[in-house]
């Protein structure tokens, strides 16, 4: 994707008016273009593949294959590894958002989002970053790790493969810091900060920064209420 090539977007929501509204918002930015609309998760996966989309704006509650299953299908498919999923939710803290992040979504936005914020979010995740509000993410993860139905998939021993610096950087990622902010705080270059993040993701099998945050909480490296 070059600077002159628009970011290609699929909008997945079972309500036609919602899809139309988001298309209007997206189309106000010259560097973004909607290449398809899906009313179900199955359609979202098919369109992600056939349109060579860069980003899927994904609703969770849809008939048939829901947004969770569709997110998992996209992020686990090697041929769709470049496709990023941005979850759209009625509430910033939604009962399904944690599961969507665990499934590989790169972040989440409320459906009441303003056009400028939506444009910035799409650009952010299209370039490989994650969209995580630190406060919302910590509250969300705290809810689900503390709940009786929480299933922790990672244990502290998973962190043994990380260097001390990688653990430190992972903690800062979980606090919501960007690579630039991590670099400034630790007195290292942005490239070095990004390398530490990428190595931690690779060692822990994280699809993106959002999953790295989840692992940080699941393993106890970061605890709800810290920072």
């Amino acid at each position: 994707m070059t600077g002159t090539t628009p970011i290609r977007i699929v909008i997945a929501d079972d309500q036609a008016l919602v899809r139309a509204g988001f298309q209007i918002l997206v189309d106000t930015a010259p560097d973004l273009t909607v290449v398809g609309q899906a009313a179900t998760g199955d359609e979202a996966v098919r369109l992600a593949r056939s349109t060579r989309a860069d980003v899927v704006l994904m609703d969770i509650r849809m008939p048939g294959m829901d947004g969770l299953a569709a997110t998992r299908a996209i992020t686990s498919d090697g041929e769709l590894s470049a496709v990023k999923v941005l979850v759209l939710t009625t509430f910033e803290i939604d009962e399904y958002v944690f599961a969507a992040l665990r499934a590989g979504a790169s972040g989440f936005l409320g459906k009441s989002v303003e056009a400028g914020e939506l444009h910035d979010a799409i650009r952010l995740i299209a370039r490989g970053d994650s969209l995580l509000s630190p406060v919302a993410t910590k509250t969300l993860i705290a809810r689900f790790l503390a709940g009786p139905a929480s299933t922790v998939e990672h244990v502290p021993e998973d962190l043994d493969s990380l260097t001390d610096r990688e653990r430190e950087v992972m903690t800062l990622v979980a606090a919501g810091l960007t690579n630039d902010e991590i670099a400034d705080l630790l007195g290292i270059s942005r490239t070095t900060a990004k390398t530490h993040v990428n190595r931690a993701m690779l060692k822990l099998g994280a699809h993106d920064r959002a999953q790295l945050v989840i692992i940080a909480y699941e393993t106890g490296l970061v605890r709800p209420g810290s920072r």
Side-chain angles (χ1 to χ4, degrees):
M1 186 171 58
T2 68
T4 58
T5 303
I7 298 171
R8 302 167 64 83
I9 299 152
V10 167
I11 301 172
D13 194 291
D14 62 339
Q15 297 184 47
L17 285 177
V18 172
R19 296 196 304 272
F22 273 104
Q23 172 143 10
I24 291 171
L25 290 181
V26 169
D27 285 344
T28 60
D31 60 329
L32 309 178
T33 184
V34 175
V35 294
Q37 292 189 17
T40 68
D42 291 295
E43 291 178 5
V45 176
R46 287 197 298 270
L47 284 173
R49 179 175 288 106
S50 65
T51 65
R52 294 178 296 164
D54 299 302
V55 175
V56 177
L57 301 182
M58 185 78 76
D59 185 30
I60 294 297
R61 300 172 184 84
M62 292 184 287
M65 176 188 284
D66 64 13
L68 291 178
T71 297
R72 194 172 297 110
I74 290 171
T75 60
S76 64
D77 188 328
E79 295 182 359
L80 300 177
S81 60
V83 180
K84 307 300 181 182
V85 176
L86 180 59
V87 172
L88 302 174
T89 177
T90 305
F91 306 100
E92 188 176 21
I93 303 301
D94 182 279
E95 62 181 306
Y96 295 112
V97 171
F98 179 79
L101 294 175
R102 179 178 271 169
S106 294
F108 56 95
L109 277 178
K111 289 187 177 181
S112 59
V113 63
E114 298 291 334
E117 186 181 359
L118 176 64
H119 298 164
D120 289 343
I122 292 171
R123 295 174 187 128
L124 186 73
I125 71 166
R127 68 172 185 247
D129 291 326
S130 60
L131 182 73
L132 297 172
S133 160
V135 173
T137 302
K138 290 168 77 170
T139 302
L140 178 71
I141 290 175
R143 268 184 57 187
F144 283 86
L145 293 187
S150 173
T151 301
V152 176
E153 296 184 353
H154 296 273
V155 295
E157 287 74 16
D158 291 343
L159 301 176
D160 290 345
S161 63
L162 301 184
T163 65
D164 290 342
R165 179 62 98 183
E166 287 164 356
R167 288 189 185 215
E168 183 178 22
V169 168
M170 184 173 170
T171 300
L172 297 175
V173 170
L177 274 65
T178 65
N179 288 345
D180 287 343
E181 291 169 335
I182 292 171
D184 289 343
L185 183 64
L186 299 181
I188 58 179
S189 70
R190 184 186 186 281
T191 299
T192 300
K194 183 177 181 180
T195 297
H196 287 313
V197 172
N198 289 343
R199 285 178 177 169
M201 287 168 50
L202 180 64
K203 290 179 179 180
L204 297 173
H207 179 265
D208 59 15
R209 293 170 75 97
Q211 287 195 328
L212 198 62
V213 172
I214 290 173
I215 296 172
Y217 280 89
E218 288 182 330
T219 58
L221 179 66
V222 175
R223 299 187 181 281
S226 62
R227 274 192 77 86

